[in-house]
Amino acid sequence: QVQLVESGGGLVQAGGSLRLSCAASGRSFSNYAMGWFRQAPGKEREFVAVISWNSDTKYYADSVKGRFTISRDNAKNTVYLQMNSLEPEDTAVYYCACARSLGIPRSTVSYNYWGQGTQVTVSS
């Protein structure tokens, strides 16, 4: 089992920044690809970013490319999502998840464990 706890969400004005953190406990964190997803009210959960187990590979949704950066610190069992130039359309609950994969999966069905989510609200 892996437990994931997100933090760092909040209310920010458009153009501002937030950094989300996801702390993992349980089985070996470094063996998992880590992803961030988000879900806005009335919408399906969507992929945001993913990072491979060794940080060599990252992939971003087109909607956040150039504004968001995913990173991880395996020594601290933590993955981060730095979000810059936030837009009202980024408002959602953000979830981190881990996948037993050597790749960079982008589908929710590929992920084995999920956090409880953290709310990000961007005001215009």
Side-chain angles (χ1 to χ4, degrees):
Q1 287 285 342
V2 176
Q3 292 78 43
L4 302 172
V5 179
E6 301 97 336
S7 61
L11 174 64
V12 63
Q13 289 188 332
S17 298
L18 284 174
R19 188 174 84 151
L20 305 183
S21 299
C22 174
S25 61
R27 291 189 176 180
S28 182
F29 172 80
S30 61
N31 292 340
Y32 293 86
M34 296 298 299
W36 285 96
F37 292 77
R38 66 187 182 187
Q39 188 166 18
K43 295 188 177 181
E44 294 188 353
R45 192 168 299 187
E46 65 173 2
F47 167 78
V48 174
V50 60
I51 186 168
S52 62
W53 69 275
N54 59 359
S55 300
D56 278 359
T57 309
K58 305 173 186 179
Y59 190 85
Y60 298 91
D62 287 344
S63 58
V64 307
K65 201 172 296 181
R67 301 188 297 122
F68 291 10
T69 302
I70 189 171
S71 62
R72 67 190 293 166
D73 185 338
N74 286 346
K76 295 183 178 180
N77 284 3
T78 302
V79 63
Y80 305 97
L81 186 68
Q82 177 66 44
M83 307 187 294
N84 299 328
S85 302
L86 283 161
E87 303 168 352
E89 294 73 24
D90 296 316
T91 295
V93 177
Y94 282 71
Y95 299 89
C96 72
C98 61
R100 286 190 291 264
S101 171
L102 296 178
I104 47 170
R106 281 155 274 175
S107 171
T108 57
V109 298
S110 299
Y111 286 79
N112 306 100
Y113 302 100
W114 293 83
Q116 83 291 347
T118 185
Q119 177 70 47
V120 171
T121 303
V122 184
S123 63
S124 57

